């Protein structure tokens, strides 16, 4: 199941890649959502970013916690590597186990943000 807001984000996003890119985003969102409904928080930041940029004053949209910047970068690399954890870890300059730990932590942080 997917929320109407998350579906709206997916519809409004300009998909520069192919169907595989959309498939990867959906698969990742399913993993983050677990057995629950896919919410906007489960989508990559660049897909959610269109609305956020409008609501922030000019010049401050890039001022965000380092954790968010790291999460967004990890999401972009995973998207670019078709969710291949080994390749993504190599590009990020970290071990595969470190990447998996970061993904688990990202999922946990998002889960606690929803509480």
């Amino acid at each position: 199941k997917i929320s109407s807001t998350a579906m709206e984000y997916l519809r409004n996003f300009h998909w520069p890649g192919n169907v595989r890119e959309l498939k990867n985003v959906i698969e990742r969102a399913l993993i983050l959502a677990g057995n629950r409904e896919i919410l906007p928080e489960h989508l990559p930041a660049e897909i959610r970013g269109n609305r956020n940029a409008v609501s922030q004053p000019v010049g401050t949209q890039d001022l965000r916690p380092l954790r968010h910047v790291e999460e967004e970068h990890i999401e972009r690399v995973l998207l670019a590597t078709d969710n291949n954890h080994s390749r993504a870890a190599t590009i990020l300059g970290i071990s595969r186990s470190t990447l998996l730990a970061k993904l688990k932590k990202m999922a946990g942080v998002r889960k606690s943000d929803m509480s």
Side-chain angles (χ1 to χ4, degrees):
K1 193 171 180 185
I2 185 166
S3 75
S4 59
T5 305
M7 182 60 81
E8 183 181 333
Y9 279 121
L10 292 171
R11 282 189 188 128
N12 291 332
F13 185 71
H14 171 70
W15 294 95
N18 53 29
V19 173
R20 216 174 328 155
E21 182 180 6
L22 174 60
K23 179 181 176 242
N24 288 336
V25 168
I26 297 296
E27 286 176 353
R28 182 181 178 283
L30 285 169
I31 291 167
L32 292 174
N35 291 328
R36 299 181 324 261
E37 178 179 39
I38 295 174
L39 301 172
E41 300 83 52
H42 302 128
L43 300 175
E46 61 267 15
I47 292 173
R48 299 184 323 258
N50 296 335
R51 281 193 189 160
N52 293 340
V54 173
S55 65
Q56 295 177 340
V58 175
T60 62
Q61 61 265 23
D62 290 332
L63 302 177
R64 56 194 185 276
L66 182 58
R67 176 178 60 86
H68 294 169
V69 174
E70 181 183 45
E71 288 175 2
E72 290 171 12
H73 185 60
I74 289 170
E75 290 171 351
R76 277 194 305 273
V77 172
L78 284 168
L79 194 60
T81 60
D82 291 330
N83 212 33
N84 182 311
H85 292 163
S86 296
R87 283 181 39 216
T90 299
I91 291 169
L92 292 167
I94 59 177
S95 69
R96 185 175 184 277
S97 61
T98 298
L99 174 60
L100 294 175
K102 287 180 180 289
L103 290 172
K104 185 175 181 180
K105 184 176 180 184
M106 287 166 56
V109 167
R110 289 186 176 138
K111 189 182 276 188
S112 69
D113 287 347
M114 293 169 37
S115 302

